[in-house]
Structure formats: C-alpha cells, structure tokens
Amino acid sequence: MPTTDLTSSGQNATILDVLASERLITAQQMEEIKVKSASLGRPYEETLTSLNIVPAGKLAEARAKLLGIPFISLSSTSFSPQALSMISRAVAERFLLIPFLYDEKTRTLSVAMANPVDLEALEFIRQKTGLNIKTFAASADDVEKVIDQQYRQEIVGEVGEALRQTEEFTKTRTIDIKQIAEIIKEAPIAKIVSTILGYAVSSRASDVHIEPQADRIRVRYRIDGILYDRLSLPKTVQEAVVSRIKILSSMKIDEHRTPQDGRFNFKVDNNEVDLRISVMPASEGEKIVMRLLRKSGGIPTLPDLGLTGVSLKNFETSILRPHGIILVCGPTGSGKTTTLYSVLEKLNTTRVNIMTLEDPVEYQMSGVNQVQINPAVGLTFATGLRSFLRQDPDIILVGEIRDRETTELALQASLTGHLVFSTLHTSDASGALPRLTDLGAEHFLLSSTMNAIAGQRIVRRICSYCRETYPPLAQIVDEIRNVLGKLFPLANGEIKLSRGKGCEKCAGSGYLGRIGIFEVLPVSNKISDLIFEHPDSSAIEKEAILEGMITMKQDGYLKVLQGITTPEEVIRVAQE
C-alpha cells in the first residue's frame, strides 16, 4: 500500500508542528525527532512511531489535521449493515479501510481509512461500488480492530441480510398507517427486531436504545453501565421497526404524540428475559428504550456483589437485628435494588413474613410477597406501606423513600418491631441522615431507629481473558496512597496495577462484568448521639471514618490494588 511522506509534500507545516500545537510533544522532543529523522533519512512519522512518543490514535488525528481530512474515532462509531455489505472483508483488509455509513439520497458511502490519501484504494472502491466516496482518517490499529469486529459480528450480518430483503417493498411502495400492520408481520422486520434483542441478551446488555436521527436509526446497547454504538439502520425501516416493537408490547401503533409503556418476554435458547419498553416522541420520530430484566441467573450473594472485610461484617451484623431501618444509597443504576434482593435472599426463611413494595418488581423471589405499586389506582409507596402494617410482616422492603409520608410510615414501622429496608437517592451514606430530616423525619426518631446505611456504586471489572499488569504513573500511585492512608499496603517492590488489553470476549473494551464498591455506615452510639445535634453530612462521615468506616473511594482503590478494576473506573463513578 503506498504511503505519503508528509515531510516532503511541499506543505509549510509538518506533522511535528501539529503535534507541538496540540502540546503532544515538547520543543526539545521536536528538535530531537528532526535530528534523528535527518540522520536516518526517515520521515518524521516513522521516527515518531519507532520512539512511541505519541499514541497511535493521536498521531493519526494529527496527520488528518495536516491533510485537512476529517478524523473519526471508530471506537465510538456505529456501523451500518448496508455500508458494510458494499465492501468485502478482503478489500477492507487489503487497503486497511472500513465503510461505516451509507446515504441513500446522495448515494454516498462514508469510509474510514488508515491512509486516506491512498488514491489506488479510493479509485478501486469507487469502481467496485459505483458510489460517491467520502473519506475519513482513522488510526491503523483502530481500522484493523473494527474490521475484525464488524465483519464477524453476527448482529451486523443478520440485520444486513434482513435489510436486503426489505429493499424491494421500500422501493415499490410507500409505507402508510394502513399498510403498517401488514408490513410489521413480514419476516425481514421481525428478523431485524429479534436480532437486535438477541444481541442484547448475548452481550449482557441491560438496556437497548433505538434512536431515530435525521438520516438513520441509531441502535445503542448499555453494557456494563456504558452505552455502545453497535448498529445503524436506514431511515426507511423506522416506522416498521417501531410498530413491530409496539405490537409486541401491546401498545397503540397509531399513537405517536404521547409516551407509552409496555412489556413482553423474549427467549433466546434457555435465557428468558422480561423486557420493559418505553416509547417517547422525539423530533426525528419515536425513541425506544428497552430495559432487560433477566429471569434466570439467580440472585448474587453479598460477597459476590463486592462487599468484603469490615464493610461486609458491619452490614451483616445490622441486618440480623430484629427491627430498625437499613438504607442503601446511590444514584439511579448503582445497583441498590440488587443489593436489597441479596439481603432478602439471605433472610428468607419459612419463619418470617417478608413483604416488598416495588416499582417495578425486578426479580421474582420464591417465598416473598412482592407488590408492585400502581399510582393509577392509588397504590403508592405510602398507601401500600400503610396496608402492609396490617399484614403481620416481619421484614418490609420499600422500593424507595421519596416523600414525607413514606418516611414517617417507615419510621413508625421500625418502631413497632419491624425490620425495614429501603433505598434513598443520595451520593453517599453520610448524606442519608440530613436527607431524611429534609423529608420530615424527627432527629430523636432517626437516632433510635437507624441500624446502618450503605452507599454504593458499580465499577466495571477488568476482563479476565486479556488482563495484563503494568507499572502505573507516579501520580496515580500517590493518589491511591493519599486516599487509602493507613490502608495502603506496605510494598517492598514496585506497585503494579492491572488493565485489560481488549479481546474478543470483552469486545475490545478491556472490561467484562461489574462489581460494587461500598461504604457501610453502622449507626453506633456516638453517631446516634450526633444525630441529636443536627449535624451535616461531613460531620457524620468524619465520625464514621474515626470508627473504622471504609469509604467508597477507598474500597474502589483497594479493588484496584487487587487487580479487580482500574483507577479510571473508580474516578469515573466515585469522584466527588
């Protein structure tokens, strides 16, 4: 494949000037590279690559800037099955390029290339496809990786085949509301929807986002808490795909102005999944979000979730008390409900009556009386909790404390001899007590009813298939040492951390699965006395740390030192 020497292209600026302007190399490094390139008779890029001073992605980005060609990061790009079907894998590997988008109106194919000024490659794919070609620059490593990922990815191949089957009816007829009921029954549309869902199950996704845009439909999957672009569909199938999902969810297919909710079950092999569907009108059409709730797989234990050491001991001690309140705190999606299910699984015996009030009921638990709230008929957290007290419960789970009435009823239930579990939206454990006082709880009631408060977040686990160790930067080690304090291990040698290189098992992300990081604040006698003084959260946290509480960030960094997760993950979820 021909290469281009930017240093001899006659341009005033060089790639070194671009890198220097972006502060990716220093003036001293710039001079050293010039001297070395001149002495070896090499282009600047070759010298930069051999010295490994600048990451490959940044080098490719600088090269694109110099050439005046748009740069694209392929790790965050969605790939159109139509586009991929227009260039074979053999051609993509030969010229180190990959198509990612096709515009039917202008007959333009967007292609990412490791060498975007390769005229031979451009002329070949123009003649091969008969289309206009729009070129983008990308790093060679990225192009190689996505060629392997996309051309073997089952979802793209299957959807591409289904799209080819839909082309005939999209060319020969205009879809209107009268025809939609017939079209959505046709095999290609059903195949597209089932493939999207099948991939969601196999990739362990928790949510699927189907988002209409001006020229396409973007399909994104939330995997291990992060959204990934995985698919791009043509605008022509938008109405049919949306209507297909509405029919499956028992929604009105002729209603496009108001949000709708629905649900249905989906089975892949032996995995049965309960899907909660939300449809929302947006400017380019209706956006769909599908939440996947797996019926199989069981409920994890507290140690499986990531609770260890003193935090686990304090939490288990508090849940074995016969009455009181235990709260789990954190933002939406931090795993609070899963933690509470793990606790109930531990406490669930034939000798206790456990009742839960949830929105929605996410896991079916044998032997537990689970009630889903239904505000439309007046069944709210508050009204349900009031009725629960007449059902002779021993243990009560209230999905969320969100108003004054629920707060007061939860306190009363704990005072009358019940063990009450609930969740609260606060950033950490120490912030829960001030939040409850804001919701109308009396300080003297809180001090006598609170057993413990847990705060949590979820971090991604390093992929066990491609884990590697590396010596971290000094500032990272200093940050971990400062946060951990006395908990920092006395290392005789060099500190080594772990990371994932990226492999087929983790789809190149370097992460596979998730684990919780926790802080557990037991309400001791001293903290109980503090509550009477109307303290702020920092005073409560300070006292808890003095009594031995491990904070969330400390727990995260301990898991970093154990090779379970990375510093970047801990900072992402637990940075204040």
Side-chain angles (χ1 to χ4, degrees):
M1 186 173 70
T3 58
T4 304
D5 182 353
L6 296 172
T7 62
S8 60
S9 60
Q11 298 182 45
N12 293 326
T14 68
I15 196 163
L16 297 182
D17 296 317
V18 176
L19 292 170
S21 69
E22 299 284 337
R23 297 184 178 179
L24 292 168
I25 58 172
T26 63
Q28 184 182 344
Q29 287 174 322
M30 187 173 177
E31 289 307 314
E32 288 172 359
I33 293 162
K34 284 181 178 178
V35 171
K36 188 160 188 175
S37 295
S39 65
L40 296 172
R42 286 181 180 177
Y44 294 152
E45 268 194 81
E46 274 189 39
T47 307
L48 281 161
T49 303
S50 65
L51 293 173
N52 199 24
I53 294 172
V54 181
K58 292 292 183 184
L59 191 60
E61 198 170 343
R63 185 172 188 244
K65 192 170 185 179
L66 188 65
L67 292 168
I69 293 171
F71 179 82
I72 187 165
S73 173
L74 295 174
S75 60
S76 57
T77 301
S78 58
F79 288 82
S80 160
Q82 277 181 308
L84 286 163
S85 67
M86 291 171 181
I87 294 178
S88 68
R89 179 168 185 161
V91 171
E93 288 175 337
R94 175 184 165 191
F95 294 113
L96 211 54
L97 55 82
I98 187 161
F100 61 91
L101 188 65
Y102 174 58
D103 187 332
E104 290 186 36
K105 291 179 183 176
T106 59
R107 288 181 52 79
T108 300
L109 186 66
S110 295
V111 179
M113 304 177 70
N115 183 11
V117 291
D118 184 349
L119 300 179
E120 179 194 343
L122 287 169
E123 186 57 31
F124 183 87
I125 58 175
R126 273 198 194 97
Q127 290 185 3
K128 187 85 173 170
T129 62
L131 302 172
N132 302 312
I133 307 298
K134 186 176 181 181
T135 58
F136 291 78
S139 79
D141 289 347
D142 271 4
V143 175
E144 283 182 4
K145 188 183 289 184
V146 296
I147 286 173
D148 184 51
Q149 284 177 353
Q150 296 299 326
Y151 281 100
R152 65 174 168 74
Q153 206 174 80
E154 189 179 348
I155 182 174
V156 172
E158 289 190 8
V159 172
E161 181 59 37
L163 285 172
R164 278 191 288 277
Q165 293 175 33
T166 67
E167 283 177 3
E168 284 309 308
F169 73 71
T170 55
K171 286 177 184 175
T172 57
R173 59 187 174 184
T174 302
I175 300 171
D176 61 33
I177 197 65
K178 294 175 183 175
Q179 295 172 306
I180 204 77
E182 291 303 316
I183 291 169
I184 59 176
K185 295 175 186 175
E186 297 185 15
I189 298 301
K191 179 70 171 175
I192 290 170
V193 173
S194 65
T195 305
I196 288 171
L197 292 174
Y199 181 78
V201 174
S202 64
S203 63
R204 305 171 295 104
S206 61
D207 301 85
V208 182
H209 293 239
I210 299 176
E211 303 166 317
Q213 301 190 327
D215 56 347
R216 63 189 178 111
I217 308 167
R218 180 171 68 174
V219 182
R220 294 193 291 172
Y221 294 84
R222 190 175 293 281
I223 302 168
D224 292 336
I226 306 293
L227 275 173
Y228 293 96
D229 246 330
R230 283 291 184 261
L231 190 62
S232 184
L233 299 173
K235 196 76 173 170
T236 50
V237 298
Q238 179 175 311
E239 285 296 323
V241 167
V242 170
S243 295
R244 171 74 179 167
I245 294 169
K246 281 184 175 180
I247 287 287
L248 292 171
S249 315
S250 302
M251 297 182 196
K252 298 176 182 176
I253 64 169
D254 58 345
E255 178 55 75
H256 307 285
R257 299 166 299 171
T258 60
Q260 294 187 71
D261 295 305
R263 61 186 292 179
F264 64 92
N265 288 350
F266 183 77
K267 194 169 184 179
V268 180
D269 300 325
N270 293 322
N271 296 313
E272 190 172 354
V273 179
D274 186 8
L275 289 146
R276 308 293 167 93
I277 317 297
S278 172
V279 177
M280 175 73 70
S283 59
E284 297 295 341
E286 290 173 287
K287 179 181 189 287
I288 295 176
V289 175
M290 299 187 277
R291 165 66 57 91
L292 282 76
L293 303 172
R294 283 163 178 77
K295 294 189 172 184
S296 54
I299 295 169
T301 63
L302 292 172
D304 288 342
L305 293 176
L307 265 169
T308 56
V310 67
S311 297
L312 177 62
K313 182 183 175 184
N314 287 338
F315 198 60
E316 288 187 328
T317 301
S318 66
I319 67 177
L320 293 175
R321 292 171 66 178
H323 54 80
I325 298 177
I326 295 166
L327 294 178
V328 180
C329 305
T332 302
S334 59
K336 301 186 296 295
T337 304
T338 304
T339 299
L340 290 178
Y341 277 129
S342 297
V343 172
L344 293 187
E345 184 78 359
K346 185 178 177 68
L347 299 175
N348 187 14
T349 70
T350 55
R351 297 180 181 183
V352 291
N353 177 20
I354 301 176
M355 301 194 70
T356 75
L357 194 59
E358 305 172 60
D359 181 25
V361 174
E362 294 190 15
Y363 298 92
Q364 299 290 340
M365 295 184 70
S366 177
V368 175
N369 303 290
Q370 295 172 274
V371 178
Q372 180 162 324
I373 72 163
N374 186 355
V377 297
L379 179 54
T380 63
F381 283 124
T383 58
L385 185 50
R386 189 177 286 109
S387 299
F388 271 21
L389 298 177
R390 297 192 289 272
Q391 289 281 320
D392 186 31
D394 297 293
I395 297 169
I396 297 171
L397 184 149
V398 184
E400 184 186 344
I401 291 178
R402 59 171 70 156
D403 55 37
R404 179 182 291 265
E405 192 178 4
T406 310
T407 306
E408 291 172 353
L409 287 165
L411 288 168
Q412 290 301 324
S414 66
L415 284 169
T416 52
H418 303 92
L419 186 58
V420 180
F421 295 94
S422 192
T423 68
L424 200 62
H425 285 280
T426 59
S427 59
D428 54 22
S430 57
L433 293 168
R435 172 72 179 137
L436 288 172
T437 58
D438 291 342
L439 288 171
E442 297 288 351
H443 291 85
F444 68 90
L445 289 177
L446 285 178
S447 66
S448 58
T449 57
M450 297 302 300
N451 288 0
I453 305 160
Q456 71 177 79
R457 299 287 189 281
I458 301 180
V459 294
R460 291 182 290 172
R461 281 180 178 269
I462 296 168
C463 175
S464 58
Y465 296 95
C466 61
R467 181 190 280 112
E468 64 175 4
T469 58
Y470 70 99
L473 296 172
Q475 54 262 45
I476 296 290
V477 177
D478 290 343
E479 157 76 1
I480 295 173
R481 184 182 282 110
N482 291 337
V483 170
L484 289 179
K486 294 177 182 178
L487 298 171
F488 190 82
L490 296 173
N492 297 324
E494 185 184 23
I495 293 287
K496 289 283 187 81
L497 301 185
S498 299
R499 64 188 173 196
K501 289 188 290 186
C503 64
E504 183 179 335
K505 296 282 186 182
C506 61
S509 69
Y511 296 98
L512 187 65
R514 294 193 288 173
I515 192 169
I517 58 174
F518 296 85
E519 61 184 23
V520 177
L521 192 161
V523 180
S524 63
N525 290 334
K526 280 190 177 180
I527 290 175
S528 185
D529 293 339
L530 253 183
I531 296 170
F532 278 108
E533 300 171 15
H534 300 211
D536 58 18
S537 60
S538 59
I540 295 168
E541 183 177 58
K542 188 176 180 181
E543 176 58 35
I545 290 170
L546 285 173
E547 293 181 10
M549 182 183 83
I550 295 173
T551 66
M552 259 188 292
K553 203 167 185 184
Q554 287 177 330
D555 188 37
Y557 280 147
L558 287 171
K559 288 180 169 74
V560 168
L561 293 176
Q562 292 164 16
I564 296 170
T565 189
T566 62
E568 293 80 8
E569 276 296 287
V570 176
I571 290 167
R572 179 177 69 86
V573 303
Q575 188 76 316
E576 295 174 359

PDB file of all heavy atoms in Angstrom, residues 244-264:
ATOM      1  N   ARG A 244     -43.440  -2.663  15.081  1.00  0.00           N
ATOM      2  CA  ARG A 244     -43.244  -4.063  15.474  1.00  0.00           C
ATOM      3  C   ARG A 244     -43.054  -4.175  16.996  1.00  0.00           C
ATOM      4  O   ARG A 244     -43.663  -5.028  17.656  1.00  0.00           O
ATOM      5  CB  ARG A 244     -42.018  -4.630  14.737  1.00  0.00           C
ATOM      6  CG  ARG A 244     -41.563  -6.007  15.216  1.00  0.00           C
ATOM      7  CD  ARG A 244     -42.479  -7.096  14.765  1.00  0.00           C
ATOM      8  NE  ARG A 244     -42.023  -8.411  15.199  1.00  0.00           N
ATOM      9  CZ  ARG A 244     -42.765  -9.503  15.140  1.00  0.00           C
ATOM     10  NH1 ARG A 244     -43.997  -9.452  14.666  1.00  0.00           N
ATOM     11  NH2 ARG A 244     -42.296 -10.656  15.546  1.00  0.00           N
ATOM     12  N   ILE A 245     -42.221  -3.302  17.546  1.00  0.00           N
ATOM     13  CA  ILE A 245     -41.970  -3.322  18.995  1.00  0.00           C
ATOM     14  C   ILE A 245     -43.227  -2.912  19.762  1.00  0.00           C
ATOM     15  O   ILE A 245     -43.533  -3.479  20.817  1.00  0.00           O
ATOM     16  CB  ILE A 245     -40.767  -2.415  19.339  1.00  0.00           C
ATOM     17  CG1 ILE A 245     -39.489  -3.012  18.736  1.00  0.00           C
ATOM     18  CG2 ILE A 245     -40.612  -2.246  20.853  1.00  0.00           C
ATOM     19  CD1 ILE A 245     -38.288  -2.103  18.767  1.00  0.00           C
ATOM     20  N   LYS A 246     -43.989  -1.951  19.224  1.00  0.00           N
ATOM     21  CA  LYS A 246     -45.244  -1.533  19.879  1.00  0.00           C
ATOM     22  C   LYS A 246     -46.248  -2.684  19.926  1.00  0.00           C
ATOM     23  O   LYS A 246     -46.921  -2.887  20.943  1.00  0.00           O
ATOM     24  CB  LYS A 246     -45.854  -0.343  19.132  1.00  0.00           C
ATOM     25  CG  LYS A 246     -45.206   1.000  19.437  1.00  0.00           C
ATOM     26  CD  LYS A 246     -45.973   2.089  18.700  1.00  0.00           C
ATOM     27  CE  LYS A 246     -45.480   3.459  19.037  1.00  0.00           C
ATOM     28  NZ  LYS A 246     -46.235   4.514  18.326  1.00  0.00           N
ATOM     29  N   ILE A 247     -46.355  -3.422  18.830  1.00  0.00           N
ATOM     30  CA  ILE A 247     -47.289  -4.553  18.794  1.00  0.00           C
ATOM     31  C   ILE A 247     -46.891  -5.599  19.833  1.00  0.00           C
ATOM     32  O   ILE A 247     -47.723  -6.113  20.583  1.00  0.00           O
ATOM     33  CB  ILE A 247     -47.315  -5.182  17.382  1.00  0.00           C
ATOM     34  CG1 ILE A 247     -48.053  -4.269  16.405  1.00  0.00           C
ATOM     35  CG2 ILE A 247     -47.957  -6.562  17.412  1.00  0.00           C
ATOM     36  CD1 ILE A 247     -49.556  -4.215  16.586  1.00  0.00           C
ATOM     37  N   LEU A 248     -45.597  -5.920  19.900  1.00  0.00           N
ATOM     38  CA  LEU A 248     -45.109  -6.907  20.865  1.00  0.00           C
ATOM     39  C   LEU A 248     -45.382  -6.460  22.306  1.00  0.00           C
ATOM     40  O   LEU A 248     -45.601  -7.279  23.189  1.00  0.00           O
ATOM     41  CB  LEU A 248     -43.607  -7.140  20.679  1.00  0.00           C
ATOM     42  CG  LEU A 248     -43.175  -7.847  19.385  1.00  0.00           C
ATOM     43  CD1 LEU A 248     -41.670  -7.811  19.229  1.00  0.00           C
ATOM     44  CD2 LEU A 248     -43.673  -9.293  19.353  1.00  0.00           C
ATOM     45  N   SER A 249     -45.354  -5.132  22.517  1.00  0.00           N
ATOM     46  CA  SER A 249     -45.529  -4.577  23.876  1.00  0.00           C
ATOM     47  C   SER A 249     -46.969  -4.224  24.202  1.00  0.00           C
ATOM     48  O   SER A 249     -47.227  -3.617  25.245  1.00  0.00           O
ATOM     49  CB  SER A 249     -44.672  -3.312  24.030  1.00  0.00           C
ATOM     50  OG  SER A 249     -43.392  -3.489  23.517  1.00  0.00           O
ATOM     51  N   SER A 250     -47.898  -4.560  23.298  1.00  0.00           N
ATOM     52  CA  SER A 250     -49.331  -4.247  23.480  1.00  0.00           C
ATOM     53  C   SER A 250     -49.578  -2.744  23.604  1.00  0.00           C
ATOM     54  O   SER A 250     -50.355  -2.281  24.445  1.00  0.00           O
ATOM     55  CB  SER A 250     -49.880  -4.960  24.728  1.00  0.00           C
ATOM     56  OG  SER A 250     -49.697  -6.348  24.611  1.00  0.00           O
ATOM     57  N   MET A 251     -48.923  -1.963  22.759  1.00  0.00           N
ATOM     58  CA  MET A 251     -49.135  -0.504  22.721  1.00  0.00           C
ATOM     59  C   MET A 251     -49.984  -0.147  21.506  1.00  0.00           C
ATOM     60  O   MET A 251     -50.208  -0.970  20.615  1.00  0.00           O
ATOM     61  CB  MET A 251     -47.793   0.237  22.617  1.00  0.00           C
ATOM     62  CG  MET A 251     -46.853   0.068  23.782  1.00  0.00           C
ATOM     63  SD  MET A 251     -45.357   1.053  23.495  1.00  0.00           S
ATOM     64  CE  MET A 251     -44.256   0.333  24.699  1.00  0.00           C
ATOM     65  N   LYS A 252     -50.421   1.101  21.457  1.00  0.00           N
ATOM     66  CA  LYS A 252     -51.190   1.593  20.305  1.00  0.00           C
ATOM     67  C   LYS A 252     -50.220   2.016  19.210  1.00  0.00           C
ATOM     68  O   LYS A 252     -49.399   2.919  19.409  1.00  0.00           O
ATOM     69  CB  LYS A 252     -52.044   2.797  20.716  1.00  0.00           C
ATOM     70  CG  LYS A 252     -53.084   2.481  21.776  1.00  0.00           C
ATOM     71  CD  LYS A 252     -53.820   3.751  22.188  1.00  0.00           C
ATOM     72  CE  LYS A 252     -54.843   3.449  23.283  1.00  0.00           C
ATOM     73  NZ  LYS A 252     -55.502   4.681  23.762  1.00  0.00           N
ATOM     74  N   ILE A 253     -50.325   1.388  18.035  1.00  0.00           N
ATOM     75  CA  ILE A 253     -49.367   1.722  16.970  1.00  0.00           C
ATOM     76  C   ILE A 253     -49.733   3.024  16.252  1.00  0.00           C
ATOM     77  O   ILE A 253     -48.907   3.590  15.547  1.00  0.00           O
ATOM     78  CB  ILE A 253     -49.222   0.574  15.944  1.00  0.00           C
ATOM     79  CG1 ILE A 253     -50.530   0.316  15.199  1.00  0.00           C
ATOM     80  CG2 ILE A 253     -48.695  -0.676  16.583  1.00  0.00           C
ATOM     81  CD1 ILE A 253     -50.362  -0.618  14.007  1.00  0.00           C
ATOM     82  N   ASP A 254     -50.977   3.505  16.440  1.00  0.00           N
ATOM     83  CA  ASP A 254     -51.375   4.744  15.765  1.00  0.00           C
ATOM     84  C   ASP A 254     -51.230   5.969  16.670  1.00  0.00           C
ATOM     85  O   ASP A 254     -51.618   7.070  16.289  1.00  0.00           O
ATOM     86  CB  ASP A 254     -52.815   4.634  15.252  1.00  0.00           C
ATOM     87  CG  ASP A 254     -53.808   4.336  16.371  1.00  0.00           C
ATOM     88  OD1 ASP A 254     -53.354   3.941  17.467  1.00  0.00           O
ATOM     89  OD2 ASP A 254     -55.024   4.502  16.150  1.00  0.00           O
ATOM     90  N   GLU A 255     -50.654   5.782  17.860  1.00  0.00           N
ATOM     91  CA  GLU A 255     -50.438   6.905  18.767  1.00  0.00           C
ATOM     92  C   GLU A 255     -48.960   7.291  18.733  1.00  0.00           C
ATOM     93  O   GLU A 255     -48.094   6.504  19.102  1.00  0.00           O
ATOM     94  CB  GLU A 255     -50.848   6.524  20.198  1.00  0.00           C
ATOM     95  CG  GLU A 255     -50.608   7.610  21.228  1.00  0.00           C
ATOM     96  CD  GLU A 255     -51.275   8.928  20.873  1.00  0.00           C
ATOM     97  OE1 GLU A 255     -52.509   9.025  21.026  1.00  0.00           O
ATOM     98  OE2 GLU A 255     -50.556   9.845  20.417  1.00  0.00           O
ATOM     99  N   HIS A 256     -48.691   8.521  18.243  1.00  0.00           N
ATOM    100  CA  HIS A 256     -47.310   8.970  18.088  1.00  0.00           C
ATOM    101  C   HIS A 256     -47.000  10.229  18.899  1.00  0.00           C
ATOM    102  O   HIS A 256     -45.872  10.710  18.861  1.00  0.00           O
ATOM    103  CB  HIS A 256     -47.001   9.257  16.613  1.00  0.00           C
ATOM    104  CG  HIS A 256     -47.318   8.113  15.692  1.00  0.00           C
ATOM    105  ND1 HIS A 256     -46.532   6.981  15.611  1.00  0.00           N
ATOM    106  CD2 HIS A 256     -48.351   7.922  14.830  1.00  0.00           C
ATOM    107  CE1 HIS A 256     -47.067   6.148  14.723  1.00  0.00           C
ATOM    108  NE2 HIS A 256     -48.169   6.685  14.246  1.00  0.00           N
ATOM    109  N   ARG A 257     -48.001  10.771  19.599  1.00  0.00           N
ATOM    110  CA  ARG A 257     -47.800  12.073  20.251  1.00  0.00           C
ATOM    111  C   ARG A 257     -47.499  11.973  21.739  1.00  0.00           C
ATOM    112  O   ARG A 257     -46.927  12.888  22.316  1.00  0.00           O
ATOM    113  CB  ARG A 257     -49.050  12.953  20.059  1.00  0.00           C
ATOM    114  CG  ARG A 257     -49.372  13.265  18.605  1.00  0.00           C
ATOM    115  CD  ARG A 257     -50.777  13.838  18.478  1.00  0.00           C
ATOM    116  NE  ARG A 257     -51.783  12.883  18.957  1.00  0.00           N
ATOM    117  CZ  ARG A 257     -53.068  13.164  19.124  1.00  0.00           C
ATOM    118  NH1 ARG A 257     -53.503  14.385  18.858  1.00  0.00           N
ATOM    119  NH2 ARG A 257     -53.911  12.250  19.555  1.00  0.00           N
ATOM    120  N   THR A 258     -47.880  10.894  22.380  1.00  0.00           N
ATOM    121  CA  THR A 258     -47.686  10.766  23.828  1.00  0.00           C
ATOM    122  C   THR A 258     -46.784   9.575  24.159  1.00  0.00           C
ATOM    123  O   THR A 258     -46.740   8.599  23.397  1.00  0.00           O
ATOM    124  CB  THR A 258     -49.033  10.577  24.552  1.00  0.00           C
ATOM    125  OG1 THR A 258     -49.657   9.387  24.050  1.00  0.00           O
ATOM    126  CG2 THR A 258     -49.953  11.763  24.329  1.00  0.00           C
ATOM    127  N   PRO A 259     -46.073   9.635  25.269  1.00  0.00           N
ATOM    128  CA  PRO A 259     -45.235   8.492  25.685  1.00  0.00           C
ATOM    129  C   PRO A 259     -46.097   7.277  25.992  1.00  0.00           C
ATOM    130  O   PRO A 259     -47.238   7.406  26.441  1.00  0.00           O
ATOM    131  CB  PRO A 259     -44.551   8.999  26.962  1.00  0.00           C
ATOM    132  CG  PRO A 259     -44.673  10.483  26.930  1.00  0.00           C
ATOM    133  CD  PRO A 259     -45.945  10.779  26.197  1.00  0.00           C
ATOM    134  N   GLN A 260     -45.543   6.088  25.744  1.00  0.00           N
ATOM    135  CA  GLN A 260     -46.243   4.840  26.063  1.00  0.00           C
ATOM    136  C   GLN A 260     -45.279   3.872  26.749  1.00  0.00           C
ATOM    137  O   GLN A 260     -44.065   3.930  26.527  1.00  0.00           O
ATOM    138  CB  GLN A 260     -46.776   4.175  24.787  1.00  0.00           C
ATOM    139  CG  GLN A 260     -47.867   4.955  24.072  1.00  0.00           C
ATOM    140  CD  GLN A 260     -48.462   4.141  22.929  1.00  0.00           C
ATOM    141  OE1 GLN A 260     -49.179   3.161  23.137  1.00  0.00           O
ATOM    142  NE2 GLN A 260     -48.158   4.534  21.695  1.00  0.00           N
ATOM    143  N   ASP A 261     -45.829   3.006  27.585  1.00  0.00           N
ATOM    144  CA  ASP A 261     -45.038   1.983  28.260  1.00  0.00           C
ATOM    145  C   ASP A 261     -45.659   0.618  28.003  1.00  0.00           C
ATOM    146  O   ASP A 261     -46.882   0.503  27.882  1.00  0.00           O
ATOM    147  CB  ASP A 261     -44.988   2.221  29.771  1.00  0.00           C
ATOM    148  CG  ASP A 261     -44.255   3.507  30.119  1.00  0.00           C
ATOM    149  OD1 ASP A 261     -43.100   3.643  29.688  1.00  0.00           O
ATOM    150  OD2 ASP A 261     -44.840   4.373  30.793  1.00  0.00           O
ATOM    151  N   GLY A 262     -44.820  -0.393  27.941  1.00  0.00           N
ATOM    152  CA  GLY A 262     -45.323  -1.753  27.751  1.00  0.00           C
ATOM    153  C   GLY A 262     -44.277  -2.761  28.176  1.00  0.00           C
ATOM    154  O   GLY A 262     -43.204  -2.400  28.663  1.00  0.00           O
ATOM    155  N   ARG A 263     -44.590  -4.028  27.996  1.00  0.00           N
ATOM    156  CA  ARG A 263     -43.641  -5.082  28.350  1.00  0.00           C
ATOM    157  C   ARG A 263     -43.950  -6.353  27.574  1.00  0.00           C
ATOM    158  O   ARG A 263     -45.082  -6.561  27.130  1.00  0.00           O
ATOM    159  CB  ARG A 263     -43.679  -5.361  29.858  1.00  0.00           C
ATOM    160  CG  ARG A 263     -45.014  -5.831  30.371  1.00  0.00           C
ATOM    161  CD  ARG A 263     -45.023  -5.955  31.890  1.00  0.00           C
ATOM    162  NE  ARG A 263     -44.163  -7.030  32.356  1.00  0.00           N
ATOM    163  CZ  ARG A 263     -43.982  -7.320  33.644  1.00  0.00           C
ATOM    164  NH1 ARG A 263     -44.594  -6.614  34.571  1.00  0.00           N
ATOM    165  NH2 ARG A 263     -43.197  -8.316  33.989  1.00  0.00           N
ATOM    166  N   PHE A 264     -42.951  -7.193  27.386  1.00  0.00           N
ATOM    167  CA  PHE A 264     -43.156  -8.533  26.844  1.00  0.00           C
ATOM    168  C   PHE A 264     -41.941  -9.383  27.205  1.00  0.00           C
ATOM    169  O   PHE A 264     -40.904  -8.866  27.648  1.00  0.00           O
ATOM    170  CB  PHE A 264     -43.396  -8.514  25.323  1.00  0.00           C
ATOM    171  CG  PHE A 264     -42.242  -8.031  24.489  1.00  0.00           C
ATOM    172  CD1 PHE A 264     -41.302  -8.916  23.976  1.00  0.00           C
ATOM    173  CD2 PHE A 264     -42.099  -6.677  24.182  1.00  0.00           C
ATOM    174  CE1 PHE A 264     -40.255  -8.480  23.188  1.00  0.00           C
ATOM    175  CE2 PHE A 264     -41.044  -6.227  23.401  1.00  0.00           C
ATOM    176  CZ  PHE A 264     -40.115  -7.136  22.898  1.00  0.00           C
TER     177      PHE A 264
END
